[in-house]
Amino acid sequence: MSDSKAAAENPLKKARTFPYPGSKVEGSQVPDKKVSLQVEWLEYKPVEYMASSVLAWPMWADPPVGDRIFSSKFSEEDRHVERRSQNGLYEVEKGRHRNPAAWPGPVGRGLLGWCGPNQAADPILTRWKNDSKGKKVTHPVSKKNVLQFVAIKRKDCGEWAIPGGKVEPREKISTTLKREFGKEVMSSLQKSRAETQELEKQLHKLFNQEHLMFYKGYVDDPRNTNNAWMVTEAVNYHDDTGEITDCLHPEAGDGTQKVKWVDISDQLKLYASQSQFIQIVAEKRGVHWREGMDPNAMNSDLESSKSPRPSNGPGSI
């Protein structure tokens, strides 16, 4: 399914939140009936905004559009930056990449470094929720086993999220998944060399086991603009026996306020559209999601677009 069609069926919400993150920039409020690019909107006049951190032209960002050395390719790899969108080709208008999904506003790149798609990777580590005797906990209403995942509290906005991050130039997705999880969840600042080596060993074992890649495409992210947007690959790593997670003790790392194991349910409120990613995991694994409803019977909007020891006690966020 194309990004535009997906947006038409499920109008994007997070990318239409004002003011724009980290700024006082207000923009045109885009109503649901106008969000699709297939709807003509001649009166639409978005504001232009690029954060000072992007304008400073750091290593992780393109130079300003119009700069004499800037010559970006479209819908292909360019200078080791992946500019292909997982959902197909997108348009270029007046030298600028055009958001293929919706009119989120503003014009420019906002907080995002690359023109066009900004690639990310989201690792979701899950385990069974066990009782004090090591038996799987079953939800009293849905009668399905309860699954937990590792969640972080972001420093930039204070919201709970999946511990993911952007894909660096020339980097494989598998490398990003492991690096971001280790950086945000498994801080090694207070560890000895031997402890750090053991941690690396366990992370290598975790991220080289069989896994479920369940989503690849556009993300409804509050940082999206008309010319730059987030895309991701979301992967579920499930520890069925608890052998690995017993050896991992999550602690806040770079860019993270807190980290904890969280029960999966429809009460989750996560950053951007990440609650939908967790919902897909629940559907795929056949575990508890919503009271009185079989997760396998639910229709996931993201889907259409395209273990452990006793719990440490965290519940829903």
Side-chain angles (χ1 to χ4, degrees):
M1 179 179 290
S2 70
D3 285 329
S4 297
K5 185 175 181 181
E9 293 181 359
N10 180 33
L12 305 177
K13 301 290 186 182
K14 299 285 185 175
R16 292 183 284 152
T17 302
F18 287 100
Y20 185 84
S23 77
K24 297 181 180 179
V25 175
E26 297 289 347
S28 303
Q29 293 299 318
V30 184
D32 288 354
K33 65 181 180 179
K34 294 286 191 179
V35 69
S36 172
L37 293 179
Q38 298 184 18
V39 177
E40 187 175 30
W41 192 6
L42 299 178
E43 300 83 12
Y44 182 55
K45 291 182 172 54
V47 297
E48 175 131 12
Y49 176 68
M50 284 178 61
S52 57
S53 58
V54 178
L55 286 170
W57 192 10
M59 293 285 292
W60 49 266
D62 285 323
V65 173
D67 189 287
R68 62 185 180 83
I69 69 169
F70 181 69
S71 179
S72 173
K73 298 179 181 178
F74 308 109
S75 295
E76 59 182 289
E77 185 175 326
D78 171 30
R79 293 178 297 139
H80 307 294
V81 176
E82 179 58 84
R83 299 192 192 274
R84 286 171 291 194
S85 181
Q86 286 99 328
N87 297 79
L89 299 176
Y90 50 86
E91 297 179 1
V92 177
E93 186 178 78
K94 296 181 180 179
R96 294 190 176 195
H97 303 61
R98 174 86 167 268
N99 190 315
W103 300 102
V107 172
R109 279 178 275 150
L111 287 166
L112 300 180
W114 308 120
C115 295
N118 285 251
Q119 308 283 334
D122 290 304
I124 301 176
L125 174 60
T126 56
R127 70 179 187 183
W128 298 111
K129 182 177 183 179
N130 287 359
D131 61 21
S132 59
K133 297 180 180 180
K135 295 183 62 177
K136 294 178 183 177
V137 172
T138 300
H139 192 274
V141 177
S142 69
K143 306 301 181 183
K144 293 185 175 294
N145 292 333
V146 178
L147 204 63
Q148 297 181 316
F149 79 104
V150 174
I152 62 167
K153 189 173 185 181
R154 296 171 59 111
K155 284 184 178 179
D156 58 351
C157 62
E159 295 185 62
W160 287 92
I162 297 167
K166 67 178 182 178
V167 180
E168 301 292 346
R170 302 185 184 183
E171 188 174 55
K172 293 182 178 179
I173 292 291
S174 58
T175 301
T176 307
L177 290 163
K178 177 183 174 182
R179 172 174 54 78
E180 287 299 319
F181 186 87
K183 181 178 71 173
E184 297 189 340
V185 175
M186 306 305 301
S187 176
S188 61
L189 294 178
Q190 305 301 321
K191 290 180 172 60
S192 66
R193 182 175 181 180
E195 290 173 327
T196 300
Q197 290 176 337
E198 178 61 25
L199 172 60
E200 180 63 28
K201 178 182 176 181
Q202 293 301 327
L203 287 178
H204 178 78
K205 184 176 181 180
L206 173 65
F207 285 93
N208 281 276
Q209 68 175 4
E210 185 177 350
H211 55 270
L212 173 66
M213 201 289 285
F214 63 89
Y215 182 77
K216 185 176 181 178
Y218 190 94
V219 179
D220 182 17
D221 191 288
R223 296 167 295 180
N224 288 351
T225 72
N226 281 358
N227 307 119
W229 57 93
M230 294 299 302
V231 295
T232 195
E233 288 191 29
V235 182
N236 176 212
Y237 295 89
H238 179 61
D239 184 11
D240 193 60
T241 66
E243 178 183 352
I244 300 177
T245 48
D246 271 355
C247 300
L248 297 178
H249 304 287
E251 55 185 295
D254 185 33
T256 305
Q257 285 188 28
K258 298 179 182 179
V259 57
K260 65 179 181 178
W261 286 97
V262 177
D263 292 354
I264 287 180
S265 81
D266 66 341
Q267 299 304 304
L268 291 171
K269 304 296 181 184
L270 300 178
Y271 178 77
S273 55
Q274 293 181 355
S275 294
Q276 292 173 294
F277 294 164
I278 301 300
Q279 180 180 349
I280 296 176
V281 171
E283 293 175 3
K284 294 290 188 182
R285 298 290 182 186
V287 300
H288 171 70
W289 172 255
R290 184 176 300 163
E291 293 186 7
M293 182 175 290
D294 185 345
N296 295 316
M298 293 185 291
N299 293 318
S300 169
D301 293 321
L302 283 179
E303 186 80 294
S304 67
S305 72
K306 50 162 167 185
S307 252
R309 300 286 83 102
S311 167
N312 293 328
S316 299
I317 293 176

